[in-house]
Structure formats: structure tokens, C-alpha cells
Amino acid sequence: MPGMQTLHAERLWTPDGWRIDAGFTHDGGRIVECEHAQPSEGSAWVLPGIANLHSHAFQRAMAGLAERQTNPEDSFWTWRDTMYRFAGRFDPDTLHAVASQLYAEMLEAGYTTVCEFHYLHHAPDGKPYSDPAAMSRALIAAARDTGIRLTLLPVLYMRSGFDGRPLTERQRRFGHEVDAFLRLFDLLRAEQNDMLRVGIALHSLRAVPPDAMRNVLAAMPLGAPIHIHIAEQVGEVADCLALRNARPVEWLLANADVNRDWTLVHATHLEKDEVRGIAQSGATVAICPTTEANLGDGLFPLRAFLEAGGAWGIGSDSHVSISPVEELRWLEYGQRLITRHRNIAVGSTTTSVGESLLHDVLADGEASTGHAVGCFYVGACADWLVLDRDAPQFVGSAPEDTVDRWLFSGNRPVVREVHVGGVERVRGGRHLRREEIAKGFAGAMKTLLA
Ligand SMILES: [Zn+2]
């Protein structure tokens, strides 16, 4: 951990936009003072690191391997079969190697915190490892080795449908009963430190019976992040309506104290009342545009949700793309395609789409991750990105068009440096341990594809 240091920036991103000639002092991984700098002291363009609210690390290894038509009705559900086959091959070592590669790529892209929605708990035959947290520890080690800030969300996964049918053979390595799940939670909770928060995830309403949900929620410490997949698929909405007489979000809002600690992942298929209900609850929606597009899920009702004052962030979920730029751009483009209008995601303080997207995605990272991230304030995590101000797309850039040029000019990476907890992890656009991590990943892929 470096000692006290002061960063001077020519432009520093704040919730009110760029501040010119500003900076902060950090010590022990946290910001201890925010200040105005003297002009000419700094030339960097600096912004807070971005939180990735939804990740299944192992799925990075199968990105691009499910893009061949197996039948004309291919859907989320046929993709899931491929995913299950792949999931069956992982052990703690291969998970560590794949997660390390993924997290290094996330850091290079500008994500400095990741919420890991982790359900690959047991050995492939469904038996717990001798250390029941072995797979979780592989993820913790990958985060530590790469330097990304982690919110680990062990997933409760109990049933394979709303009718309560048991897990299938391929799902058995995901499963827990409530007592064993809470023991795992306590075990992981004891590992928490400044770089690691532990919350929980409910896999989905179909995977967790109502009484189990109530028991687990009753055991949660105050402020622990709670994430859930919800209303991603129309089939899931139909099943929930048939068996619980309510739509998924409607049912959840009526049966749980959904508040700021909650993150609803996807929440794609919503009625007007559900849009308002989520916004009023203070929960964050984790939208995963590239995965939702890849899986053919549908489009989140962004405009209505913004008008209701809803909180949201982005996740890379199945990791068909590791780029906050691409997630944000496709979030906006999806809305343009369906409404046949332009410039949809604008907030109340700026007419710039890029600035509005960046503002929102940073604003809600803290509630969803449980880490003090997304804004430079005294006490916050010292996590920041430096943009490559010499990149061609920034030639002649004024502060007010910089973010739009960053998000809406393609895929050339412009994140030059990344620091997490005050520690440099990416320099010149490359993770400092890139080669060594890539070697480990190649070895793991050889095993997984054998
Ligand atoms: Zn997911």
C-alpha cells in the first residue's frame, strides 16, 4: 500500500461533470482530501472507476462458443444447455485462471469493481468440496491477484422451476439448502476486507421457494448487498404468473422489503407499475445490454425507468463483451432502434447522452456493490481511470464533448491507466501482469476444451 499521495488532474469527473484543475489526496487506499489544484499542475483526465454489477466469471471461457444454430427455435433456454455442459468442467484451478484473465481485461476496460454472482459451488457431481468455499476462494484469489475490487455474491439455488421441482443433474453443483448456504455466507463474510465485500444472490424466483427466501433474508446483516436475476425471460414471467399469480417484479415487491441494498438483474419485462415500484424502492437495476442482446432477452424500458427516477448500472454478465463503453452505447442504441428516435438516455442536468449515462452508471455503484465507489469524496475508495487524452478521437475535444466522444466513437481503447485502492494496475492500457495471466488462461482453456 503506497503512502499518502496527491493526484492533480486537468479534468476531474464529478457528479456535476468535469471539474477543471482539481485533484485529491489518497492514503491507505482511500481518499483523505479533495482539493482544487493549481492550473498546470496536472494534465490528466481522470474519472472514477466503473462498477460491473453482474458477472458469472466462468462464462468468459465460452464466449463465442454458442453462436452456431442448433435449431431454428434457439433461445436463452438452448443457450443454457450449452452453458451447463461447459460449467460442468470447471474446478477451482480453472476457475481461478479464467477469472484472472477476465478481471485483468475488466481493469483494462475501466471496470474497477465487479459483483460476482457465483453459483458454481460444488464438484461436478454435486458434492461439496472438502473446503465448501473452494470455488469462492478461487474467485477471491483471482480478484486479489489482478487487483480488482470484488463484491462476492454466493448464490442460493435450490429448485429448477416455480413448481418446486428439484435441481437437474447438471444443476446439482449449484445447489444448497438454506442452512448450508448460510454457513457458506458466514465463512465468506469472515474474509471481508477493504477490497472484498460479501453479500448474497438469490438465483431467481424460480430457483428459491418463498419460505427459503424469507429465512435467508431474515438472516442478512444490515447493508449486505442482495442481488437477484428477475424478469429476464418472457417464459419466466408466464410461469410466475401461472404459479404465483403475479409477475416476478410485482411478486418480489409485495413479498420482500426491497430497498437500496437490492440489485435486480435484467428486470427486462416490466409493466408500468413495476417500473415505478422498482424506482420507488431505491433498488438498482443491473442492465446487461450485450448479454441481453446475445441471448435475445428483450429491451429494458429505459426511458420510463429514468422518468420514474430509477437507479441503474451495467453488468457484463456472460462476458460476450468486456467493455463499459459497449454496454452503455448499446443501452442507448437499443432504445433508438425501438423508438426510432435519437438521444434517449438524457438526465435532468445535461443534454449530453454520454454524460448522462456516465453520471448514472457511477452514481449507483456504491449501493449495489457495498463499496464506496463511483465518486471522489473523502472516505471513498481511491479507484480511478486516466483517459488517453492524446487519442485521435479526443483531438480538439472540449470538456463538454469529451464523454460523448469517448462512448460514441467506436472501440479503440482510451483507458490509459487504472488505479484501484491507490495501486496502479494498468499502465499504457495494459494490465501490469497481462502476459503471465494470459498464460494461465491459455492453460486452463486447453483443459476446459479437451
Ligand atoms: Zn446472470
Side-chain angles (χ1 to χ4, degrees):
M1 195 70 72
M4 191 179 289
Q5 287 181 340
T6 298
L7 175 114
H8 299 292
E10 188 199 47
R11 297 183 191 170
L12 190 79
W13 181 261
T14 75
D16 304 319
W18 292 111
R19 184 175 299 163
I20 307 302
D21 297 322
F24 55 79
T25 301
H26 60 98
D27 191 13
R30 297 274 175 161
I31 292 173
V32 293
E33 203 184 331
C34 293
E35 59 214 292
H36 283 280
Q38 296 300 318
S40 88
E41 268 183 312
S43 62
W45 298 352
V46 175
L47 58 150
I50 295 169
N52 187 332
L53 304 188
H54 192 60
S55 164
H56 309 284
F58 78 91
Q59 292 181 15
R60 179 56 172 167
M62 59 171 283
L65 291 176
E67 308 301 325
R68 218 167 255 276
Q69 194 181 63
T70 56
N71 86 56
E73 298 298 303
D74 271 347
S75 67
F76 171 84
W77 307 104
T78 51
W79 169 85
R80 200 179 65 160
D81 287 337
T82 311
M83 187 269 281
Y84 282 175
R85 273 201 302 281
F86 214 76
R89 299 178 194 161
F90 277 88
D91 65 11
D93 289 341
T94 43
L95 182 61
H96 173 259
V98 170
S100 298
Q101 175 69 27
L102 173 69
Y103 296 162
E105 289 180 34
M106 282 189 190
L107 285 160
E108 290 180 354
Y111 291 121
T112 49
T113 305
V114 59
C115 297
E116 189 60 47
F117 197 105
H118 168 56
Y119 54 81
L120 216 51
H121 297 298
H122 311 306
D125 61 1
K127 291 210 183 68
Y129 287 101
S130 57
D131 170 8
M135 294 293 263
S136 299
R137 289 190 212 283
L139 294 167
I140 292 171
R144 192 184 50 227
D145 294 351
T146 53
I148 202 165
R149 198 177 289 284
L150 177 64
T151 300
L152 182 61
L153 305 163
V155 173
L156 179 62
Y157 203 137
M158 301 175 71
R159 301 288 179 264
S160 117
F162 278 104
D163 56 4
R165 69 198 119 125
L167 299 181
T168 62
E169 199 175 312
R170 284 199 174 124
Q171 293 171 324
R172 261 187 295 176
R173 70 181 310 190
F174 313 156
H176 280 102
E177 292 303 317
V178 169
D179 288 352
F181 177 73
L182 290 176
R183 280 198 299 277
L184 173 66
F185 174 71
D186 286 340
L187 211 58
L188 295 172
R189 200 78 182 159
E191 303 285 316
Q192 286 196 123
N193 58 53
D194 201 47
M195 291 291 287
L196 171 66
R197 288 280 171 277
V198 175
I200 60 152
L202 307 171
H203 179 272
S204 54
L205 292 182
R206 72 174 177 276
V208 180
D211 54 337
M213 180 186 89
R214 273 186 284 274
N215 291 339
V216 166
L217 292 179
M220 280 305 103
L222 212 64
I226 301 165
H227 291 219
I228 182 171
H229 286 135
I230 199 157
E232 178 180 9
Q233 292 293 319
V234 286
E236 170 199 348
V237 175
D239 287 354
C240 190
L241 264 168
L243 282 133
R244 296 198 189 168
N245 210 20
R247 301 168 57 82
V249 168
E250 181 190 11
W251 188 91
L252 184 72
L253 292 173
N255 287 276
D257 175 24
V258 177
N259 56 36
R260 216 174 158 266
D261 298 338
W262 284 71
T263 296
L264 310 193
V265 180
H266 305 302
T268 308
H269 302 287
L270 302 176
E271 299 283 2
K272 282 198 185 95
D273 286 352
E274 294 175 304
V275 168
R276 258 195 309 271
I278 298 174
Q280 282 165 5
S281 74
T284 301
V285 173
I287 313 171
C288 308
T290 60
T291 292
E292 288 155 10
N294 185 276
L295 297 179
D297 288 346
L299 280 173
F300 178 76
L302 183 68
R303 191 61 244 163
F305 191 66
L306 292 178
E307 278 163 10
W312 63 274
I314 50 168
S316 60
D317 191 358
S318 68
H319 310 307
V320 289
S321 169
I322 312 297
S323 162
V325 171
E326 201 178 10
E327 300 300 342
L328 293 173
R329 194 168 56 217
W330 275 104
L331 180 61
E332 168 71 16
Y333 281 176
Q335 306 296 317
R336 292 187 189 188
L337 287 164
I338 200 155
T339 61
R340 301 194 296 272
H341 282 84
R342 300 187 69 250
N343 303 335
I344 311 292
V346 285
S348 49
T349 53
T350 166
T351 52
S352 152
V353 176
E355 290 197 345
S356 300
L357 291 168
L358 183 64
H359 172 275
D360 285 13
V361 86
L362 291 172
D364 303 309
E366 180 161 346
S368 182
T369 64
H371 290 286
V373 296
C375 183
F376 301 128
Y377 63 87
V378 172
C381 301
D383 299 354
W384 75 91
L385 320 177
V386 179
L387 296 183
D388 179 9
R389 54 175 295 166
D390 300 323
Q393 61 261 59
F394 291 138
V395 170
S397 168
E400 59 272 18
D401 62 33
T402 298
V403 180
D404 287 331
R405 286 184 178 213
W406 177 28
L407 298 185
F408 293 99
S409 65
N411 295 316
R412 187 183 186 276
V414 296
V415 173
R416 196 178 69 200
E417 289 173 35
V418 179
H419 304 249
V420 187
V423 180
E424 183 184 34
R425 298 294 180 180
V426 172
R427 187 188 304 158
R430 298 171 71 85
H431 192 277
L432 294 175
R433 297 185 51 219
R434 187 197 257 202
E435 279 76 24
E436 162 194 2
I437 288 167
K439 213 177 277 176
F441 176 70
M445 286 303 283
K446 220 168 139 187
T447 308
L448 291 166
L449 295 172

